[in-house]
Amino acid sequence: MRRLNPAYLTALFTRVQSAPFPHHISMRLVDIEMDRCRIELDAATEHLQPFGIVHGGVIATLVDTATFWAAFGPIPADAGLVNVDLKLNYLEAGHPGRLVAEGVLVRSGRTVSYAEATVRSEDGRLLARGASTLMVLPGKGLDIPVPKFLD
């Protein structure tokens, strides 16, 4: 079974944490494995809509990001991914505090993958569930000068 190279993951975390959008929204990739990931966001005033709850777009972004990184592990090092659909259900309002999104890869394919994610509050309340179909993009991989896999 293939495993992700820890040196590659270190470089990946550095790349993701310094990217403009995750930095702007204060979202962090906390853990990634071959078929799952964990994303965290500390919801603050800037993440709230006028009624004082976390904006649905923030929750959708967490689902989108968690499904993406859950599907990222098995694809070739020279390939990228793009979400081609996103489905989610909002189950409870989010409030300021840590939000945790966990993504799980359901199926990895050569051209299409499918992943699911949950978003929970820091006390474990289920705020949303979602799923995404992702297309593998050959030749669109990250330029990380370390092998992605340990064989």
Coordinates of all heavy atoms in Angstrom, one line a residue, residues 2-4 9 12-13 29-38 69-74 103 105 148:
R2 N 0.6 2.2 -0.9 CA 1.4 3.4 -0.9 C 1.1 4.3 0.3 O 0.0 4.3 0.9 CB 0.9 4.2 -2.2 CG 1.3 3.6 -3.5 CD 0.9 4.5 -4.6 NE 2.2 4.9 -5.1 CZ 2.3 5.7 -6.2 NH1 1.2 6.2 -6.8 NH2 3.5 6.1 -6.6
R3 N 2.2 5.0 0.7 CA 2.1 5.9 1.8 C 2.6 7.3 1.3 O 3.5 7.4 0.5 CB 2.9 5.4 3.0 CG 2.3 4.2 3.6 CD 3.1 3.7 4.8 NE 4.6 3.6 4.5 CZ 5.5 4.1 5.2 NH1 5.3 4.8 6.3 NH2 6.8 4.0 4.9
L4 N 2.0 8.3 1.9 CA 2.5 9.7 1.6 C 3.8 9.9 2.3 O 4.0 9.5 3.5 CB 1.5 10.7 2.1 CG 0.1 10.7 1.3 CD1 -0.9 11.5 2.0 CD2 0.4 11.1 -0.1
L9 N 4.7 15.9 2.8 CA 3.6 16.5 3.6 C 4.0 17.8 4.2 O 3.3 18.8 4.3 CB 3.1 15.5 4.6 CG 2.3 14.3 4.0 CD1 1.9 13.4 5.1 CD2 1.1 14.8 3.2
L12 N 4.0 20.4 1.6 CA 2.6 20.6 1.3 C 1.9 21.5 2.3 O 1.3 22.5 1.9 CB 1.8 19.3 1.1 CG 0.3 19.4 0.9 CD1 0.1 20.0 -0.5 CD2 -0.4 18.1 1.0
F13 N 2.1 21.2 3.6 CA 1.5 22.1 4.6 C 2.0 23.5 4.5 O 1.2 24.5 4.6 CB 1.8 21.5 6.0 CG 0.9 20.4 6.4 CD1 1.3 19.1 6.4 CD2 -0.4 20.7 6.9 CE1 0.5 18.1 6.7 CE2 -1.2 19.6 7.3 CZ -0.8 18.3 7.2
L29 N -5.1 23.6 7.1 CA -5.0 22.1 6.9 C -4.2 21.6 8.1 O -3.1 21.9 8.2 CB -4.3 21.9 5.6 CG -4.1 20.4 5.2 CD1 -5.4 19.6 5.1 CD2 -3.3 20.4 3.9
V30 N -4.9 20.8 8.9 CA -4.3 20.3 10.1 C -3.7 18.9 10.0 O -2.6 18.6 10.5 CB -5.3 20.3 11.3 CG1 -4.7 19.7 12.5 CG2 -5.8 21.7 11.5
D31 N -4.4 18.1 9.2 CA -3.9 16.7 9.0 C -4.3 16.2 7.6 O -5.4 16.5 7.2 CB -4.5 15.8 10.1 CG -3.9 14.4 10.1 OD1 -2.7 14.2 9.7 OD2 -4.6 13.4 10.5
I32 N -3.5 15.4 7.0 CA -3.8 14.8 5.7 C -3.2 13.4 5.7 O -2.1 13.2 6.1 CB -3.4 15.6 4.5 CG1 -3.9 15.0 3.2 CG2 -1.9 15.8 4.5 CD1 -3.8 15.9 2.0
E33 N -4.0 12.4 5.3 CA -3.6 11.1 5.1 C -3.9 10.7 3.7 O -4.4 11.5 2.9 CB -4.3 10.1 6.1 CG -3.9 10.5 7.6 CD -4.6 9.6 8.6 OE1 -5.0 8.5 8.2 OE2 -4.8 10.1 9.7
M34 N -3.7 9.4 3.3 CA -4.0 9.0 2.0 C -5.5 9.2 1.6 O -5.8 9.4 0.4 CB -3.6 7.5 1.8 CG -3.6 7.1 0.4 SD -2.5 8.0 -0.7 CE -1.0 7.1 -0.5
D35 N -6.4 9.0 2.5 CA -7.8 9.0 2.2 C -8.7 9.9 3.1 O -9.9 9.7 3.2 CB -8.3 7.6 2.2 CG -8.2 6.9 3.5 OD1 -7.6 7.5 4.4 OD2 -8.8 5.8 3.6
R36 N -8.0 10.8 3.9 CA -8.8 11.6 4.8 C -8.0 12.9 5.2 O -6.8 12.9 4.9 CB -9.2 10.9 6.1 CG -8.1 10.3 6.9 CD -8.5 9.4 8.0 NE -9.2 8.2 7.4 CZ -10.5 7.9 7.6 NH1 -11.3 8.6 8.2 NH2 -10.9 6.8 7.0
C37 N -8.7 13.9 5.7 CA -8.0 15.1 6.1 C -8.8 15.8 7.2 O -10.0 15.4 7.5 CB -7.8 16.0 5.0 SG -9.4 16.8 4.5
R38 N -8.2 16.7 7.8 CA -8.8 17.5 8.9 C -8.5 19.0 8.6 O -7.3 19.3 8.4 CB -8.3 17.1 10.3 CG -8.9 17.9 11.4 CD -8.4 17.4 12.7 NE -8.8 18.2 13.8 CZ -9.6 17.9 14.7 NH1 -10.2 16.7 14.7 NH2 -10.0 18.7 15.7
W69 N -9.0 17.8 -0.1 CA -7.8 17.3 0.5 C -8.0 15.8 0.8 O -7.0 15.0 0.8 CB -7.3 18.1 1.7 CG -6.8 19.4 1.2 CD1 -7.3 20.6 1.4 CD2 -5.6 19.6 0.4 NE1 -6.5 21.6 0.8 CE2 -5.5 21.0 0.2 CE3 -4.7 18.7 -0.2 CZ2 -4.4 21.5 -0.6 CZ3 -3.6 19.3 -0.9 CH2 -3.5 20.7 -1.1
A70 N -9.2 15.3 1.1 CA -9.4 13.9 1.3 C -9.1 13.1 0.1 O -8.7 12.0 0.1 CB -10.8 13.7 1.8
A71 N -9.4 13.7 -1.1 CA -9.3 13.0 -2.4 C -7.8 13.2 -2.9 O -7.5 12.5 -3.9 CB -10.3 13.5 -3.4
F72 N -7.0 14.1 -2.4 CA -5.7 14.4 -2.9 C -4.7 13.3 -2.8 O -3.9 13.1 -3.7 CB -5.2 15.7 -2.2 CG -3.9 16.2 -2.7 CD1 -3.8 16.9 -3.9 CD2 -2.8 15.9 -2.0 CE1 -2.6 17.3 -4.3 CE2 -1.5 16.3 -2.4 CZ -1.4 17.1 -3.6
G73 N -4.7 12.5 -1.7 CA -3.7 11.6 -1.4 C -3.3 10.6 -2.6 O -2.2 10.5 -3.0
P74 N -4.3 9.9 -3.1 CA -4.0 8.8 -4.0 C -3.7 9.3 -5.5 O -3.1 8.5 -6.3 CB -5.2 8.0 -4.1 CG -6.1 8.4 -3.0 CD -5.7 9.8 -2.6
G103 N -12.7 15.3 6.2 CA -13.1 14.8 4.9 C -12.6 13.3 4.8 O -11.6 13.0 5.3
L105 N -12.3 10.2 1.8 CA -12.4 9.7 0.4 C -13.2 8.4 0.3 O -12.9 7.5 1.1 CB -11.0 9.4 -0.1 CG -10.9 8.9 -1.6 CD1 -11.4 9.9 -2.6 CD2 -9.4 8.6 -1.9
K148 N 6.2 12.4 -3.7 CA 4.9 12.4 -3.0 C 4.7 11.1 -2.2 O 4.2 11.1 -1.1 CB 3.8 12.6 -3.9 CG 2.4 12.6 -3.3 CD 1.3 13.0 -4.3 CE -0.1 13.0 -3.6 NZ -1.1 13.4 -4.5

